[in-house]
Amino acid sequence: GTPCDIHHILRGGRRASEMSVLGLCFFHHRGGAGEGQFISRHPYKFRFIRAYGSEAELLEETRRRVA
């Protein structure tokens, strides 16, 4: 029940496409910290990946759930 922030997946420093996005809550996208309950994607990319998986893995999980 939490509104999501849209996170665009980057490839080569550019947005991959408008269909390559993740819906993250504010705290997991950009409002959390580098540790604890909410590890933010921005600016803690590598900590986020270690905790939750790669963006490609999360995108596949999102697509699976939507289908």
Side-chain angles (χ1 to χ4, degrees), residues 5-63:
D5 279 3
I6 300 299
H7 171 70
H8 290 88
I9 294 175
L10 302 178
R11 290 202 179 96
R14 302 183 77 170
R15 289 182 180 178
S17 78
E18 291 301 321
M19 297 302 292
S20 295
V21 297
L22 299 173
L24 302 172
C25 77
F26 171 77
F27 294 105
H28 281 110
H29 188 214
R30 54 194 167 96
E35 57 188 49
Q37 182 179 3
F38 299 104
I39 300 173
S40 293
R41 167 56 183 82
H42 298 288
Y44 306 106
K45 177 181 179 179
F46 296 107
R47 292 180 195 173
F48 180 90
I49 291 169
R50 203 167 38 246
Y52 307 114
S54 71
E55 292 180 344
E57 292 168 335
L58 294 172
L59 180 60
E60 285 305 312
E61 176 67 14
T62 299
R63 288 178 175 164

